[in-house]
Amino acid sequence: MDAPLVQTCRHVWLTAPGPGALAVVRLFGPDALSLADRVFRPSRQPERPLSATPPRRPRLGRLGTFRSPTPTTPTGLTDNSDTHNHNHNRVEVGDEVVAIRFDDDPCQPSQVEFQGHGGLAARQAVEAILEAAGSRPVPARVWRIETQGLTTIQADAYDDLAYAPTRRTAAILLDQALGALDRDLDSLERLEADDPACAADLRATLFQRFEVGSRLISGWNVALAGRPNVGKSSLMNALAGHARAIVSPQAGTTRDVLTVPLACDGWPMTLFDTAGLRDQPSDDLEAQGILRARNAQTQADLVLLLLDSSQPLEPLDLALLHTYPNALLVATKADLAPHWRAEDLPTTRKLVSLSALTGEGLDRLLDRLAQRLVPNPPPAGSAVPFRIDHLTQLNRTNRAKLSG
Ligand SMILES: Nc1nc2c(ncn2[C@@H]2O[C@H](COP(=O)(O)OP(=O)(O)OP(=O)(O)O)[C@@H](O)[C@H]2O)c(=O)[nH]1
Ligand SMILES: [Mg+2]
């Protein structure tokens, strides 16, 4: 077997690992085509290597590690004697693939694409052959920057786009992939000299949008809180659309912290159901549940404090109003006769009244949640910093201004 060439060829997987119809890998770099010739044998006319095929014309063939390159006669004509047994000099068999050259653009480095079968094993076989031939795997962002001419911000946005949990967050990341944030950072640099006040406004807006940008993948954490039996688990189930948590009339049913992913007006969030809070837990198990509940509530971006409107208010309800002064207040069991009204609460905070049983008020709650989590949604097409590095860049333009 030939020793691997010292190559300037790297490869990038354009499809995610795991089950799927196709696995697509791109080779790029000055030696991409010669490496492709070494590992790819066309099924028809194997004597005509990929390098003799015009760009963008697909060819079906087999990947493998071969003993010798595609045979040709000394005159350059094809040696057909090997046509029928060309597989015999194959040492290691790889996937059956479609191979396409992409090297007709003088502005881009030479590229070859292999489209193979999806699934981990087929992909691993291709990976092993490419690496044995001297190619090095790189993350997609390197390929995007070097071959597609993208900025690091655009490449990162495409990377994150693959993890966007909702269409709304995907749209924001696509805007950045198409250059929205780069454009504003460029404007910012120009404005620093021409119109410092305008630059300061733009910088402040971008800093503020990072509150949304930093949550595009992870979303927001929202924790339920309240006395036992106020209807926390019932609300979680109603919002999730399935019976995620056990519901029962027995106080102290929920012990562990349970989560469900939700989207609220297109914003991703994780809802945490927790044990009911009370001063005198019935046993150690409940006490541990309450400790976990408190932790989840402390770490959450927003607490939904539930008060049972079908029961008299208790001192603990009032204490919880005090403990969670920024909580969104929810009056539960609106389908039952009320024992108290919003005016009876020692607070002017707005209250959302709902019934997990009938679904009444759930839409209102989701609207209110979205307003609380994202009070100023970025307009469509606008620049949104989405990684901490982007704040560093914003600070850098500011420092340049201050020291200038
Ligand atoms: N009528 C009515 N009953 C409800 C509603 N929500 C919950 N319930 C009932 O209230 C009882 C307690 O509900 P859960 O959802 O288990 O209450 P919880 O706050 O999770 O209770 P713990 O886990 O013990 O803290 C159950 O019998 C539910 O069926 C509602 O909107 N209307
Ligand atoms: Mg519960």
Side-chain angles (χ1 to χ4, degrees):
M1 192 176 77
D2 294 347
L5 296 174
V6 178
Q7 306 271 358
T8 21
C9 177
R10 286 168 293 168
H11 60 275
V12 57
W13 287 95
L14 300 183
T15 46
L22 283 178
V24 178
V25 64
R26 281 259 178 143
L27 276 57
F28 67 104
D31 291 333
L33 192 55
S34 63
L35 188 140
D37 272 346
R38 283 161 43 81
V39 298
F40 176 71
R41 285 289 178 278
S43 305
R44 292 178 57 218
Q45 295 185 294
E47 72 287 354
R48 247 185 87 230
L50 193 65
S51 54
T53 311
R56 295 180 190 269
R57 186 171 298 174
R59 293 195 74 189
L60 183 69
R62 208 62 202 255
L63 283 187
T65 303
F66 301 96
R67 278 205 182 85
S68 59
T70 305
T72 52
T73 62
T75 58
L77 296 174
T78 309
D79 175 4
N80 284 328
S81 63
D82 198 34
T83 313
H84 300 296
N85 66 351
H86 64 276
N87 282 345
H88 290 173
N89 67 10
R90 191 167 55 214
V91 174
E92 191 182 328
V93 182
D95 197 12
E96 182 186 46
V97 298
V98 171
I100 312 171
R101 288 172 58 181
F102 290 100
D103 55 353
D104 51 345
D105 182 349
C107 302
Q108 287 202 356
S110 170
Q111 294 189 60
V112 174
E113 183 167 296
F114 292 131
Q115 301 169 352
H117 294 100
L120 276 177
R123 177 177 156 142
Q124 276 167 2
V126 173
E127 179 67 39
I129 286 163
L130 294 181
E131 288 193 34
S135 182
R136 196 161 50 82
V138 290
R141 73 189 297 281
V142 173
W143 172 76
R144 288 197 180 99
I145 291 167
E146 291 190 20
T147 71
Q148 315 291 295
L150 299 188
T151 64
T152 53
I153 291 177
Q154 289 177 299
D156 288 342
Y158 277 117
D159 265 4
D160 285 4
L161 190 51
Y163 299 94
T166 65
R167 273 160 50 189
R168 189 166 194 174
T169 53
I172 293 175
L173 284 164
L174 187 58
D175 287 336
Q176 314 320 307
L178 297 175
L181 181 56
D182 285 294
R183 280 192 293 277
D184 269 18
L185 288 174
D186 287 349
S187 314
L188 196 57
E189 250 180 61
R190 280 196 306 277
L191 282 172
E192 296 296 4
D194 302 343
D195 190 345
C198 195
D201 280 353
L202 178 55
R203 182 179 295 102
T205 304
L206 292 176
F207 265 114
Q208 191 221 324
R209 288 199 191 134
F210 182 67
E211 281 168 28
V212 173
S214 61
R215 309 301 186 110
L216 295 176
I217 294 174
S218 61
W220 287 259
N221 292 334
V222 176
L224 299 171
R227 282 192 293 111
N229 249 356
V230 292
K232 299 178 294 299
S233 301
S234 302
L235 177 58
M236 167 180 259
N237 290 349
L239 291 173
H242 62 97
R244 172 72 179 88
I246 298 173
V247 163
S248 96
Q250 193 181 317
T253 301
T254 306
R255 301 292 169 100
D256 254 328
V257 176
L258 301 178
T259 59
V260 282
L262 292 177
C264 178
D265 201 19
W267 304 119
M269 61 178 212
T270 304
L271 187 66
F272 290 70
D273 183 21
T274 58
L277 303 169
R278 55 180 160 190
D279 293 332
Q280 304 292 329
S282 58
D283 53 25
D284 180 51
L285 212 60
E286 191 182 0
Q288 285 193 47
I290 290 175
L291 198 64
R292 285 171 186 230
R294 293 277 192 196
N295 281 340
Q297 288 149 9
T298 310
Q299 285 166 24
D301 299 298
L302 182 63
V303 169
L304 293 189
L305 178 55
L306 275 58
L307 306 164
D308 186 341
S309 67
S310 72
Q311 297 292 321
L313 284 168
E314 291 193 7
L316 187 56
D317 291 316
L318 305 179
L320 289 174
L321 281 173
H322 195 67
T323 310
Y324 297 115
N326 297 317
L328 205 165
L329 302 185
V330 178
T332 59
K333 310 189 189 179
D335 56 290
L336 299 177
H339 256 270
W340 49 270
R341 307 205 169 272
E343 306 81 75
D344 302 329
L345 292 176
T347 174
T348 50
R349 282 188 272 163
K350 279 190 192 152
L351 191 72
V352 181
S353 179
L354 58 80
S355 164
L357 197 70
T358 64
E360 176 201 337
L362 291 184
D363 285 347
R364 250 194 327 273
L365 174 68
L366 289 174
D367 284 350
R368 197 66 68 76
L369 259 176
Q371 277 167 20
R372 283 292 300 269
L373 296 175
V374 190
N376 299 304
S382 63
V384 177
F386 56 96
R387 291 206 181 175
I388 199 84
D389 311 0
H390 305 154
L391 294 191
T392 316
Q393 289 192 40
L394 274 174
N395 277 326
R396 206 177 294 137
T397 54
N398 195 27
R399 266 203 302 279
K401 186 198 83 174
L402 292 175
S403 62

